[in-house]
Amino acid sequence: KISDFSDLSSRISFGSFDRNSVMVPQGLISVLLILANIVLDYAQESKIIPVFVRRNNSRRCRPTPPDIYGPYYEPRTKRLTQYCTGDKDSYYNHTLTVHGHVYADDCRTGIPNTKIEVWQADVDGRYHWTDCRGYIMTDRNGYYEFTTVNPGRYTIDRAHRDTRPRHIHYKVHGGREFMGVVTQMYFRGDPFLGNDDPCRICSSERNELITRPSLYCRKGACMKTVKFDIVLERKPRGRESPTEMFNVIKV
């Protein structure tokens, strides 16, 4: 737990850790302190959901915030695990692996067999009706994974000055028990997030939607990866039914 690392770090830093009561070498204590601070710093800087907020010494789990559909949603798509493969050079030179879980409202229980619709722009910021879109299903643990390309930015005005941040659209189905969500995944470090996003009703300022890309390298080849977990809100009591309901920002 983050609090455990924080407590360990503070106890060692301020001398309350009784070195005589445990058989721990001095060098190992220093290493533990460094590791504890690294983990704590990473946890504090990370913007990947699910997010827990401390209030009155308790933890509260929050559902993933909604976003807009945008103008390029297409409901009739194929089940895929690889996206934006139309341009082979772009696919292999700008590969991005996205993975995560769809969780129930406790942020721990994975929801199996959940349909996730995905659509995005290609590396040049263009949308296609037959490429860069499809759907995937979570496994029995609520886990999903797909490969695609880094989505390109694009402008939404005729003067080509209002630039949207890089993003991938999600439509996550909740089924009988949960509210689905229409949202967008963003990338940390993009200069057009939040107040610099020309889409004033979009949710690019929400930390829960901003992922932290990392580089995975093996045998000289490297690939960018991001983790994006999704938390679904349970349907209101008495409204459980096959009829799907979605949290979405309406335009």
Side-chain angles (χ1 to χ4, degrees):
K1 297 180 180 179
I2 293 175
S3 59
D4 295 337
F5 280 106
S6 178
D7 180 61
L8 174 61
S9 174
S10 62
R11 288 167 62 197
I12 297 176
S13 300
F14 293 99
S16 62
F17 192 91
D18 186 358
R19 295 176 174 84
N20 297 323
S21 63
V22 290
M23 298 298 293
V24 181
Q26 180 67 36
L28 181 56
I29 293 178
S30 300
V31 172
L32 287 173
L33 175 58
I34 293 171
L35 290 175
N37 286 328
I38 290 174
V39 173
L40 183 58
D41 290 343
Y42 179 85
Q44 290 174 338
E45 291 177 2
S46 176
K47 296 184 177 181
I48 303 176
I49 65 171
V51 172
F52 295 95
V53 179
R54 287 190 175 274
R55 291 185 179 180
N56 299 325
N57 296 321
S58 63
R59 295 194 304 177
R60 184 173 65 87
C61 178
R62 298 187 296 187
T64 298
D67 213 316
I68 67 170
Y69 270 104
Y72 302 110
Y73 172 67
E74 168 56 52
R76 294 173 294 276
T77 58
K78 297 180 180 180
R79 183 173 180 176
L80 299 171
T81 56
Q82 294 179 315
Y83 295 81
C84 297
T85 58
D87 185 337
K88 299 298 183 181
D89 289 336
S90 294
Y91 182 78
Y92 288 111
N93 293 326
H94 303 276
T95 304
L96 173 71
T97 297
V98 184
H99 66 103
H101 285 83
V102 177
Y103 287 117
D105 52 358
D106 60 0
C107 287
R108 294 189 304 271
T109 305
I111 306 177
N113 303 317
T114 299
K115 183 179 180 179
I116 305 174
E117 297 180 66
V118 175
W119 66 102
Q120 66 170 86
D122 64 16
V123 295
D124 297 316
R126 295 191 297 263
Y127 282 87
H128 305 268
W129 295 113
T130 58
D131 197 14
C132 298
R133 62 178 67 245
Y135 74 90
I136 51 180
M137 302 294 293
T138 62
D139 66 12
R140 62 181 183 179
N141 298 312
Y143 179 79
Y144 76 92
E145 180 178 319
F146 64 90
T147 57
T148 183
V149 299
N150 290 304
R153 301 188 187 97
Y154 56 89
T155 57
I156 58 174
D157 66 320
R158 293 185 177 179
H160 300 291
R161 286 188 292 237
D162 294 336
T163 303
R164 286 230 62 211
R166 303 179 192 276
H167 60 277
I168 296 177
H169 294 267
Y170 277 68
K171 182 177 182 179
V172 185
H173 295 250
R176 176 183 292 272
E177 295 184 54
F178 297 93
M179 297 283 295
V181 63
V182 175
T183 192
Q184 298 180 35
M185 183 191 80
Y186 300 94
F187 299 86
R188 183 179 182 180
D190 196 304
F192 298 101
L193 294 173
N195 292 333
D196 295 308
D197 187 348
C199 178
R200 299 305 180 192
I201 61 173
C202 292
S203 302
S204 64
E205 84 287 355
R206 297 296 299 266
N207 289 343
E208 301 97 318
L209 302 180
I210 303 174
T211 60
R212 184 174 184 167
S214 59
L215 205 59
Y216 172 75
C217 297
R218 182 181 181 184
K219 296 181 179 181
C222 295
M223 179 187 301
K224 184 179 290 186
T225 67
V226 294
K227 183 184 181 198
F228 186 52
D229 290 333
I230 299 156
V231 180
L232 296 186
E233 178 183 2
R234 197 171 294 274
K235 284 183 178 178
R237 186 179 298 276
R239 301 192 66 178
E240 300 89 347
S241 70
T243 303
E244 291 203 290
M245 303 168 63
F246 291 90
N247 288 321
V248 59
I249 295 179
K250 295 183 179 180
V251 178

